[in-house]
């Protein structure tokens, strides 16, 4: 093994030195000489997983990416010749929207089928390690789509790329490197907007990209039913999968993305299996639509997404267009271990705020007006005394009864059992009548997992304070700590 190391380094250098300098996401020249990052071994746990799944270390790989799920899957060929899932990596950051990349500068991460050769591997990337997706492919070019240097790389920062943590990228890079050592000339990258399931197709049925998605779903289905890398060709500005020589043809078909499709055939067993799967999927999709499955929102104004595992670690973390962005789901992951180091410059996707949600800081402004308005309603103090006396009679009186003074503004409230009002005083800051608008910004604190647990105790503490403190109870919604103080230990 030791004697083979120099040979492997030499082979890798020869294979990768053919790459050109990469701009955009990567700006350094490709050179593998003495590059420790690019020569990190596959982690022992991953090697053990290969052994358990009947895989060779240097067998071919295949990569699938899903934007909505914010996941990157690495599949590896087993000893039976079929691909099996080796590991799923949460994506730290991707940019743009669901849908294919159209033009240079649109910040879109590409979707479609791409081929990754050794020359596209960049061991000297400005973003730790990377490989070029190969966008635009022949299909993209036939449609006049533009863009360059779209990568899968580390550093958790994206401008049209798929960004992982450095630790994740080291593993993915090593798996690609080993497959090249094993003789794979190129591995396939399949990039999708989401997992092509009936529920997702139903939710996105009105999206303008649906015709394109149905087309690449053909390749998704070919892989699902065969567990073999689908052969990809292009003609008439569309994808063609697993095309073979037509019956009675004397030579293999020649494809041109912009030209008319040649005569070709698809193996009958594959075609039948794909057809059966698509009929089943379409039937399920139709059922979901008929049951009123809601249509996914479009044009949200959110730039890309982030896996919830990473969003849970950020003070202002939000998954954007990816799944699992609710506050409760993120808070449950806040204490879990992130798969890699999150850099301090990470820029999570930002939710598009509505006019009611924007003035979060302004919550304290109307508080003073509301507190000042209570003296103008002096007659209510008569009922205050009645409630206070009743509270004392049932043994619930005390300082908390002062916080219950604002709610009984309507005479009908007097018909309600007074003790229940007094018992609610501990949560009174959340039920102050003059603040109905506070229900609108409520989701904002839930998006901050760093303080998701703090408001519970903080809300109880200021409750017995003065009357104005009931309005100031909204203050814990503001972040009380900085990014550096929370993540300094992780660097």
């Amino acid at each position: 093994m030791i004697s083979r190391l120099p040979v492997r380094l030499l082979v890798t250098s020869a294979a990768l030195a053919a790459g050109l300098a990469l701009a955009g996401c990567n700006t350094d020249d490709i050179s593998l000489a003495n590059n420790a990052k690019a020569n990190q071994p596959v982690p022992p746990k991953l090697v053990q997983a290969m052994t358990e799944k009947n895989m060779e270390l240097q067998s071919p790989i295949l990569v699938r990416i899903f934007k909505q799920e914010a996941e990157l899957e690495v599949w590896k060929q087993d000893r039976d010749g079929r691909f099996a899932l080796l590991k799923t990596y949460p994506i730290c950051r991707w940019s743009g929207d669901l849908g294919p990349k159209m033009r240079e500068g649109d910040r879109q991460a590409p979707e479609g089928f791409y081929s990754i050769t050794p020359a596209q591997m960049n061991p000297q990337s400005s973003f730790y390690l990377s490989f070029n997706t190969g966008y635009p492919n022949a299909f993209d070019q036939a449609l006049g789509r533009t863009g360059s240097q779209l990568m899968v790389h580390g550093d958790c920062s994206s401008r049209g790329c798929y960004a992982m943590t450095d630790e994740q990228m080291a593993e993915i890079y090593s798996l690609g490197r080993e497959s090249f050592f094993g003789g794979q000339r190129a591995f396939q990258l399949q990039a999708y907007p989401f997992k092509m399931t009936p529920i997702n197709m139903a939710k996105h049925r009105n999206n303008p990209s649906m015709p394109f998605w149905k087309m690449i779903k053909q390749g998704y289905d070919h892989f699902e039913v065969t567990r073999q890398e689908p052969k990809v060709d292009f003609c008439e500005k569309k994808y063609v999968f697993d095309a073979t020589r037509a019956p009675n043809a004397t030579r293999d078909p020649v494809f041109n993305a912009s030209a008319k499709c040649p005569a070709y055939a698809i193996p009958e067993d594959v075609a039948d299996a794909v057809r059966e799967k698509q009929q089943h999927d379409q039937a399920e999709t139709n059922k979901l639509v008929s049951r009123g499955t809601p249509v996914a929102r479009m044009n949200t104004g959110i730039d890309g997404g982030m896996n919830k595992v990473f969003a849970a670690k950020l003070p202002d973390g939000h998954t954007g267009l990816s799944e699992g962005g609710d506050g409760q789901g993120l808070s449950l992951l806040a204490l879990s271990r992130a798969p890699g180091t999150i850099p301090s410059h990470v820029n999570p996707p930002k939710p598009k705020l509505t006019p009611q949600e924007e003035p979060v800081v302004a919550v304290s402004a109307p508080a003073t007006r509301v507190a000042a308005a209570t003296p103008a309603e002096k007659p209510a103090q008569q009922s205050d005394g009645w409630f206070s006396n009743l509270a004392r009679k049932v043994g619930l009186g005390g300082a908390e009864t002062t916080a219950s003074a604002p709610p009984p503004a309507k005479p009908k409230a007097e018909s309600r059992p007074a003790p229940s009002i007094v018992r609610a005083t501990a949560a009174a800051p959340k039920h102050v009548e003059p603040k109905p608008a506070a229900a609108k910004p409520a989701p904002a604190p839930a998006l901050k997992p760093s303080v998701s647990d703090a408001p519970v105790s903080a809300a109880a503490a200021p409750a017995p304070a003065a009357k104005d403190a009931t309005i100031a109870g909204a203050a814990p919604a503001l972040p009380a700590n900085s990014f550096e103080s929370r993540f300094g230990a992780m660097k």
Side-chain angles (χ1 to χ4, degrees), residues 198-199 202 205 279-294:
I199 183 61
R205 58 188 179 273
Q279 289 174 349
H280 174 270
D281 289 352
Q282 189 59 54
E284 290 298 315
T285 301
N286 293 341
K287 288 180 183 178
L288 291 167
V289 173
S290 65
R291 292 172 185 170
T293 299

PDB file of all heavy atoms in Angstrom, residues 198-199 202 205 279-294:
ATOM      1  N   PRO A 198     -44.763  11.536  -6.432  1.00  0.00           N
ATOM      2  CA  PRO A 198     -46.091  12.049  -6.757  1.00  0.00           C
ATOM      3  C   PRO A 198     -46.499  13.271  -5.938  1.00  0.00           C
ATOM      4  O   PRO A 198     -47.091  14.214  -6.468  1.00  0.00           O
ATOM      5  CB  PRO A 198     -47.004  10.847  -6.478  1.00  0.00           C
ATOM      6  CG  PRO A 198     -46.139   9.655  -6.747  1.00  0.00           C
ATOM      7  CD  PRO A 198     -44.783  10.059  -6.252  1.00  0.00           C
ATOM      8  N   ILE A 199     -46.184  13.280  -4.645  1.00  0.00           N
ATOM      9  CA  ILE A 199     -46.586  14.415  -3.811  1.00  0.00           C
ATOM     10  C   ILE A 199     -45.885  15.700  -4.256  1.00  0.00           C
ATOM     11  O   ILE A 199     -46.493  16.767  -4.316  1.00  0.00           O
ATOM     12  CB  ILE A 199     -46.309  14.124  -2.313  1.00  0.00           C
ATOM     13  CG1 ILE A 199     -46.792  15.266  -1.441  1.00  0.00           C
ATOM     14  CG2 ILE A 199     -44.840  13.840  -2.072  1.00  0.00           C
ATOM     15  CD1 ILE A 199     -48.266  15.539  -1.517  1.00  0.00           C
ATOM     16  N   ALA A 202     -47.347  16.874  -7.530  1.00  0.00           N
ATOM     17  CA  ALA A 202     -48.665  17.479  -7.312  1.00  0.00           C
ATOM     18  C   ALA A 202     -48.538  18.890  -6.744  1.00  0.00           C
ATOM     19  O   ALA A 202     -49.241  19.813  -7.179  1.00  0.00           O
ATOM     20  CB  ALA A 202     -49.491  16.607  -6.367  1.00  0.00           C
ATOM     21  N   ARG A 205     -47.387  21.379  -9.542  1.00  0.00           N
ATOM     22  CA  ARG A 205     -48.032  21.139 -10.845  1.00  0.00           C
ATOM     23  C   ARG A 205     -48.215  22.405 -11.668  1.00  0.00           C
ATOM     24  O   ARG A 205     -48.285  22.336 -12.899  1.00  0.00           O
ATOM     25  CB  ARG A 205     -49.393  20.464 -10.636  1.00  0.00           C
ATOM     26  CG  ARG A 205     -50.370  21.243  -9.759  1.00  0.00           C
ATOM     27  CD  ARG A 205     -51.605  20.400  -9.461  1.00  0.00           C
ATOM     28  NE  ARG A 205     -52.593  21.054  -8.607  1.00  0.00           N
ATOM     29  CZ  ARG A 205     -52.570  21.016  -7.279  1.00  0.00           C
ATOM     30  NH1 ARG A 205     -51.589  20.379  -6.666  1.00  0.00           N
ATOM     31  NH2 ARG A 205     -53.514  21.617  -6.572  1.00  0.00           N
ATOM     32  N   GLN A 279     -46.883   5.362 -14.936  1.00  0.00           N
ATOM     33  CA  GLN A 279     -48.339   5.260 -14.839  1.00  0.00           C
ATOM     34  C   GLN A 279     -48.781   5.258 -13.380  1.00  0.00           C
ATOM     35  O   GLN A 279     -49.778   5.899 -13.024  1.00  0.00           O
ATOM     36  CB  GLN A 279     -48.813   3.987 -15.546  1.00  0.00           C
ATOM     37  CG  GLN A 279     -48.688   4.035 -17.067  1.00  0.00           C
ATOM     38  CD  GLN A 279     -49.032   2.714 -17.735  1.00  0.00           C
ATOM     39  OE1 GLN A 279     -49.171   1.676 -17.069  1.00  0.00           O
ATOM     40  NE2 GLN A 279     -49.160   2.739 -19.065  1.00  0.00           N
ATOM     41  N   HIS A 280     -48.051   4.547 -12.559  1.00  0.00           N
ATOM     42  CA  HIS A 280     -48.371   4.525 -11.122  1.00  0.00           C
ATOM     43  C   HIS A 280     -48.208   5.918 -10.520  1.00  0.00           C
ATOM     44  O   HIS A 280     -49.069   6.397  -9.763  1.00  0.00           O
ATOM     45  CB  HIS A 280     -47.478   3.515 -10.403  1.00  0.00           C
ATOM     46  CG  HIS A 280     -47.638   3.525  -8.913  1.00  0.00           C
ATOM     47  ND1 HIS A 280     -46.875   4.322  -8.091  1.00  0.00           N
ATOM     48  CD2 HIS A 280     -48.489   2.827  -8.096  1.00  0.00           C
ATOM     49  CE1 HIS A 280     -47.242   4.148  -6.839  1.00  0.00           C
ATOM     50  NE2 HIS A 280     -48.206   3.235  -6.813  1.00  0.00           N
ATOM     51  N   ASP A 281     -47.078   6.578 -10.824  1.00  0.00           N
ATOM     52  CA  ASP A 281     -46.817   7.914 -10.283  1.00  0.00           C
ATOM     53  C   ASP A 281     -47.890   8.902 -10.722  1.00  0.00           C
ATOM     54  O   ASP A 281     -48.355   9.727  -9.926  1.00  0.00           O
ATOM     55  CB  ASP A 281     -45.438   8.407 -10.726  1.00  0.00           C
ATOM     56  CG  ASP A 281     -44.306   7.665 -10.034  1.00  0.00           C
ATOM     57  OD1 ASP A 281     -44.595   6.886  -9.103  1.00  0.00           O
ATOM     58  OD2 ASP A 281     -43.139   7.860 -10.428  1.00  0.00           O
ATOM     59  N   GLN A 282     -48.279   8.836 -11.997  1.00  0.00           N
ATOM     60  CA  GLN A 282     -49.275   9.771 -12.497  1.00  0.00           C
ATOM     61  C   GLN A 282     -50.630   9.545 -11.831  1.00  0.00           C
ATOM     62  O   GLN A 282     -51.348  10.505 -11.510  1.00  0.00           O
ATOM     63  CB  GLN A 282     -49.412   9.636 -14.016  1.00  0.00           C
ATOM     64  CG  GLN A 282     -50.278  10.711 -14.662  1.00  0.00           C
ATOM     65  CD  GLN A 282     -49.736  12.101 -14.413  1.00  0.00           C
ATOM     66  OE1 GLN A 282     -48.574  12.400 -14.692  1.00  0.00           O
ATOM     67  NE2 GLN A 282     -50.571  12.986 -13.856  1.00  0.00           N
ATOM     68  N   ALA A 283     -50.986   8.281 -11.612  1.00  0.00           N
ATOM     69  CA  ALA A 283     -52.250   7.976 -10.932  1.00  0.00           C
ATOM     70  C   ALA A 283     -52.245   8.526  -9.508  1.00  0.00           C
ATOM     71  O   ALA A 283     -53.241   9.108  -9.046  1.00  0.00           O
ATOM     72  CB  ALA A 283     -52.493   6.471 -10.921  1.00  0.00           C
ATOM     73  N   GLU A 284     -51.114   8.373  -8.813  1.00  0.00           N
ATOM     74  CA  GLU A 284     -51.010   8.902  -7.457  1.00  0.00           C
ATOM     75  C   GLU A 284     -51.058  10.419  -7.454  1.00  0.00           C
ATOM     76  O   GLU A 284     -51.678  11.041  -6.580  1.00  0.00           O
ATOM     77  CB  GLU A 284     -49.717   8.409  -6.802  1.00  0.00           C
ATOM     78  CG  GLU A 284     -49.704   6.930  -6.481  1.00  0.00           C
ATOM     79  CD  GLU A 284     -50.793   6.558  -5.483  1.00  0.00           C
ATOM     80  OE1 GLU A 284     -50.962   7.278  -4.482  1.00  0.00           O
ATOM     81  OE2 GLU A 284     -51.497   5.551  -5.726  1.00  0.00           O
ATOM     82  N   THR A 285     -50.390  11.032  -8.428  1.00  0.00           N
ATOM     83  CA  THR A 285     -50.414  12.491  -8.527  1.00  0.00           C
ATOM     84  C   THR A 285     -51.832  12.994  -8.763  1.00  0.00           C
ATOM     85  O   THR A 285     -52.270  13.977  -8.149  1.00  0.00           O
ATOM     86  CB  THR A 285     -49.491  12.959  -9.671  1.00  0.00           C
ATOM     87  OG1 THR A 285     -48.156  12.516  -9.422  1.00  0.00           O
ATOM     88  CG2 THR A 285     -49.491  14.478  -9.786  1.00  0.00           C
ATOM     89  N   ASN A 286     -52.569  12.336  -9.644  1.00  0.00           N
ATOM     90  CA  ASN A 286     -53.952  12.737  -9.924  1.00  0.00           C
ATOM     91  C   ASN A 286     -54.826  12.632  -8.673  1.00  0.00           C
ATOM     92  O   ASN A 286     -55.678  13.489  -8.427  1.00  0.00           O
ATOM     93  CB  ASN A 286     -54.533  11.870 -11.045  1.00  0.00           C
ATOM     94  CG  ASN A 286     -53.848  12.114 -12.383  1.00  0.00           C
ATOM     95  OD1 ASN A 286     -53.204  13.143 -12.581  1.00  0.00           O
ATOM     96  ND2 ASN A 286     -53.975  11.171 -13.300  1.00  0.00           N
ATOM     97  N   LYS A 287     -54.621  11.586  -7.871  1.00  0.00           N
ATOM     98  CA  LYS A 287     -55.377  11.445  -6.636  1.00  0.00           C
ATOM     99  C   LYS A 287     -55.090  12.600  -5.684  1.00  0.00           C
ATOM    100  O   LYS A 287     -56.000  13.162  -5.069  1.00  0.00           O
ATOM    101  CB  LYS A 287     -55.024  10.111  -5.959  1.00  0.00           C
ATOM    102  CG  LYS A 287     -55.574   8.878  -6.646  1.00  0.00           C
ATOM    103  CD  LYS A 287     -55.167   7.623  -5.876  1.00  0.00           C
ATOM    104  CE  LYS A 287     -55.643   6.361  -6.590  1.00  0.00           C
ATOM    105  NZ  LYS A 287     -55.216   5.127  -5.861  1.00  0.00           N
ATOM    106  N   LEU A 288     -53.815  12.938  -5.575  1.00  0.00           N
ATOM    107  CA  LEU A 288     -53.432  14.020  -4.667  1.00  0.00           C
ATOM    108  C   LEU A 288     -54.021  15.350  -5.111  1.00  0.00           C
ATOM    109  O   LEU A 288     -54.464  16.159  -4.291  1.00  0.00           O
ATOM    110  CB  LEU A 288     -51.904  14.107  -4.587  1.00  0.00           C
ATOM    111  CG  LEU A 288     -51.219  12.930  -3.887  1.00  0.00           C
ATOM    112  CD1 LEU A 288     -49.723  12.954  -4.144  1.00  0.00           C
ATOM    113  CD2 LEU A 288     -51.496  12.969  -2.388  1.00  0.00           C
ATOM    114  N   VAL A 289     -54.028  15.580  -6.401  1.00  0.00           N
ATOM    115  CA  VAL A 289     -54.605  16.821  -6.923  1.00  0.00           C
ATOM    116  C   VAL A 289     -56.105  16.861  -6.667  1.00  0.00           C
ATOM    117  O   VAL A 289     -56.661  17.885  -6.244  1.00  0.00           O
ATOM    118  CB  VAL A 289     -54.300  16.967  -8.425  1.00  0.00           C
ATOM    119  CG1 VAL A 289     -55.049  18.174  -9.014  1.00  0.00           C
ATOM    120  CG2 VAL A 289     -52.801  17.125  -8.664  1.00  0.00           C
ATOM    121  N   SER A 290     -56.782  15.735  -6.905  1.00  0.00           N
ATOM    122  CA  SER A 290     -58.231  15.683  -6.698  1.00  0.00           C
ATOM    123  C   SER A 290     -58.599  15.859  -5.228  1.00  0.00           C
ATOM    124  O   SER A 290     -59.698  16.320  -4.906  1.00  0.00           O
ATOM    125  CB  SER A 290     -58.787  14.361  -7.228  1.00  0.00           C
ATOM    126  OG  SER A 290     -58.277  13.257  -6.485  1.00  0.00           O
ATOM    127  N   ARG A 291     -57.694  15.498  -4.333  1.00  0.00           N
ATOM    128  CA  ARG A 291     -57.961  15.661  -2.898  1.00  0.00           C
ATOM    129  C   ARG A 291     -57.641  17.063  -2.401  1.00  0.00           C
ATOM    130  O   ARG A 291     -57.750  17.346  -1.209  1.00  0.00           O
ATOM    131  CB  ARG A 291     -57.140  14.641  -2.108  1.00  0.00           C
ATOM    132  CG  ARG A 291     -57.580  13.187  -2.333  1.00  0.00           C
ATOM    133  CD  ARG A 291     -56.606  12.233  -1.683  1.00  0.00           C
ATOM    134  NE  ARG A 291     -56.926  10.830  -1.980  1.00  0.00           N
ATOM    135  CZ  ARG A 291     -56.138   9.800  -1.693  1.00  0.00           C
ATOM    136  NH1 ARG A 291     -54.965  10.032  -1.110  1.00  0.00           N
ATOM    137  NH2 ARG A 291     -56.492   8.573  -2.005  1.00  0.00           N
ATOM    138  N   GLY A 292     -57.223  17.917  -3.315  1.00  0.00           N
ATOM    139  CA  GLY A 292     -56.974  19.308  -2.941  1.00  0.00           C
ATOM    140  C   GLY A 292     -55.598  19.590  -2.395  1.00  0.00           C
ATOM    141  O   GLY A 292     -55.431  20.526  -1.604  1.00  0.00           O
ATOM    142  N   THR A 293     -54.606  18.809  -2.796  1.00  0.00           N
ATOM    143  CA  THR A 293     -53.236  19.094  -2.363  1.00  0.00           C
ATOM    144  C   THR A 293     -52.867  20.521  -2.756  1.00  0.00           C
ATOM    145  O   THR A 293     -52.965  20.894  -3.926  1.00  0.00           O
ATOM    146  CB  THR A 293     -52.243  18.116  -3.016  1.00  0.00           C
ATOM    147  OG1 THR A 293     -52.570  16.785  -2.608  1.00  0.00           O
ATOM    148  CG2 THR A 293     -50.812  18.431  -2.605  1.00  0.00           C
ATOM    149  N   PRO A 294     -52.473  21.348  -1.804  1.00  0.00           N
ATOM    150  CA  PRO A 294     -52.185  22.749  -2.127  1.00  0.00           C
ATOM    151  C   PRO A 294     -50.993  22.893  -3.051  1.00  0.00           C
ATOM    152  O   PRO A 294     -50.055  22.090  -3.023  1.00  0.00           O
ATOM    153  CB  PRO A 294     -51.899  23.373  -0.753  1.00  0.00           C
ATOM    154  CG  PRO A 294     -51.477  22.229   0.109  1.00  0.00           C
ATOM    155  CD  PRO A 294     -52.254  21.040  -0.375  1.00  0.00           C
TER     156      PRO A 294
END
